[in-house]
Amino acid sequence: MNEVVVVGAGLAGLTAGYRLASAGVRVHVTEARPYVGGRTASWDERGMKVESGLHRYIGIYSALPRLMQDAGIDLSKALIWEDEVEIRVPDGPSALYGASPLRRPFRTIWNVAGPGKLCTPGERARLGAFFAAGLLHYAASGSTVLDRHTVRDFAKSKRVSDRTIERILVPLTEGLFFYPPERYSAYVLFALLAQGAKRALRSGVAAFSGGMTEVMADPIAERIRALGGTVETAAAATSLIVRGDRVVGITVRDREITAKEVVLATSLAPAQELVRKAFGIQSWNEGMLSLKTMPSATLQLELERPALPVDRGTFGPGTSLSAFTEQSRTTFTHVPGRLSIILSQAELRLLQRPEEILEEVCRDAPRLGFELKSIVRDYRVITLPHDFYSLTPGMEALRPPQETPIAGLTLAGDYTRQNYLTTMEGAVISGEHAAAVVTRRLNG
Ligand SMILES: Cc1cc2nc3c(=O)[nH]c(=O)nc-3n(C[C@H](O)[C@H](O)[C@H](O)COP(=O)(O)OP(=O)(O)OC[C@H]3O[C@@H](n4cnc5c(N)ncnc54)[C@H](O)[C@@H]3O)c2cc1C
């Protein structure tokens, strides 16, 4: 019998599996899709190499780089530091920001001390007061005050101008987590900024040097196998097996896989479905079952030539191109040009045909200073309808801890409670917490 079954091979499940296997525990990881990586996966979609969406590794992360290094991944080969982000105002100015005090000191200091192109000195002063107030609230009371407000409401209450909201806060919130400031809890923004402030000197932004399954998820899965564990793909868990008052395994198709402990490390919607089916609504799972989900939608294009002169994260506030990056010099070097776009209004994209989305993006691109239509070779729209927990106000208190009161059942995943929200770092931290809970339970 396996000691532990991990359901889901996204970063949270791979982390839990790897940490447990490293501690000598016999682990079986089961993944619904034919490949590992979850939202950090890359795969072949009808003849085109795609990923779940463009990802940026942030220098303030610590659990993710530790995991990658422990699993034998050479960070200097897996990551390419870009350390800059750009905001392009449609039909307006653009501004380049340094994102690393160590590798881009002048440009990074200039962000704060320079004249700034997108707002006036008065507007910048009010923006500074807004950031300071949010960070103070976060330090004083965590989510209590901030999670009652949207970013837009909180900014308005600090007299941030509409223009500053459109030019700075829209790119920030859409770039960080795909949603505009009126849909976005002020807690979410300041929780992440507070982590950044604590590690400001280490901040920086990097692209992956290949598809993320290839450079990150597969090597971690390989390490689990090398440590005696198994990682099975195309094997979706359809139910949790409950005997008496404990979870004793899972069903995969008609096969029962038993274990002393189960780590449920799927994204939110499948976790809700499995838990509801096994237990119905109980006081311990009420919050988790009422957490809402939100979708993401991306457009990925192969091009005759690069669309942009530099590979770096760029924001197009107020257009269909929320955040985008050229990738032909970093992540997808096998084609002459490669653009990955996180689309605004993800819910709408679920209803649109791919050719409609392409048309809208090609219409918006010239407003952001580049031409796309004549150089498109191939494209795919990738949508994830329910993978994220909603970042609207009021959700934080509903996020469950990794430890459940049910014997044999532990949760992992970015929606579970940790300070890095819905990021790769958050997923890894949740997997580490889950592994610690399981270790304690196995030993105790
Ligand atoms: C477009 C996009 C851009 C992003 N950009 C960034 C970024 O720049 N920086 C950053 O830090 N983070 C980013 N993220 C967020 C980051 O990818 C996620 O927070 C993180 O990968 C979540 O990991 P997870 O393991 O919690 O969940 P997931 O990766 O969703 O893993 C869950 C796994 O469970 C599997 N599963 C589901 N149901 C079952 C079942 N019944 N049986 C077995 N397996 C099942 C799924 O197939 C999946 O592999 C981005 C995400 C997306 C989609």
Side-chain angles (χ1 to χ4, degrees), residues 7-13 30-33 37-40 52-56 61 178 235-237 265-267 270 274 296 298 342 384 387-388 413-414 422-425 427:
V7 185
L11 270 179
T30 187
E31 163 57 45
R33 294 187 198 166
R39 272 168 280 164
T40 56
S52 68
L54 74 94
H55 273 67
R56 284 294 169 274
Y61 292 168
F178 325 136
T266 70
S267 50
L274 289 166
S296 72
T298 74
I342 294 184
L384 300 173
D387 284 31
F388 289 91
D414 59 359
T422 181
T423 61
M424 297 185 281
E425 176 78 357

Side-chain angles (χ1 to χ4, degrees), residues 25 38 40 64 92 124 129 142 199 214 220 229 245 250 254 267 273-274 340 345:
V25 175
T40 56
L64 175 62
R124 293 180 77 189
R199 299 177 180 81
E214 218 171 286
I220 301 171
D245 56 0
I250 57 167
D254 294 333
S267 50
E273 202 182 314
L274 289 166
S340 196
Q345 303 184 76

Side-chain angles (χ1 to χ4, degrees), residues 351-402:
L351 307 172
Q352 281 180 311
R353 283 177 293 121
E355 50 277 25
E356 283 177 275
I357 295 176
L358 177 68
E359 207 181 301
E360 188 178 335
V361 164
C362 287
R363 230 179 13 246
D364 282 343
R367 299 184 61 210
L368 299 171
F370 65 103
E371 220 288 308
L372 209 47
K373 196 166 186 163
S374 62
I375 57 170
V376 176
R377 255 192 193 179
D378 205 354
Y379 67 98
R380 300 285 181 272
V381 172
I382 306 292
T383 53
L384 300 173
H386 295 294
D387 284 31
F388 289 91
Y389 76 93
S390 167
L391 300 174
T392 49
M395 292 295 124
E396 185 59 22
L398 305 177
R399 295 173 71 199
Q402 288 74 32

Side-chain angles (χ1 to χ4, degrees), residues 240-287:
L240 298 171
I241 305 171
V242 185
R243 299 227 166 95
D245 56 0
R246 66 175 302 138
V247 171
V248 296
I250 57 167
T251 312
V252 172
R253 291 180 218 102
D254 294 333
R255 187 164 47 110
E256 286 198 349
I257 304 177
T258 54
K260 289 183 187 158
E261 294 285 334
V262 171
V263 177
L264 184 54
T266 70
S267 50
L268 177 58
Q272 288 174 323
E273 202 182 314
L274 289 166
V275 164
R276 190 179 284 115
K277 195 163 142 190
F279 301 101
I281 300 176
Q282 301 186 356
S283 56
W284 69 270
N285 65 23
E286 220 177 337

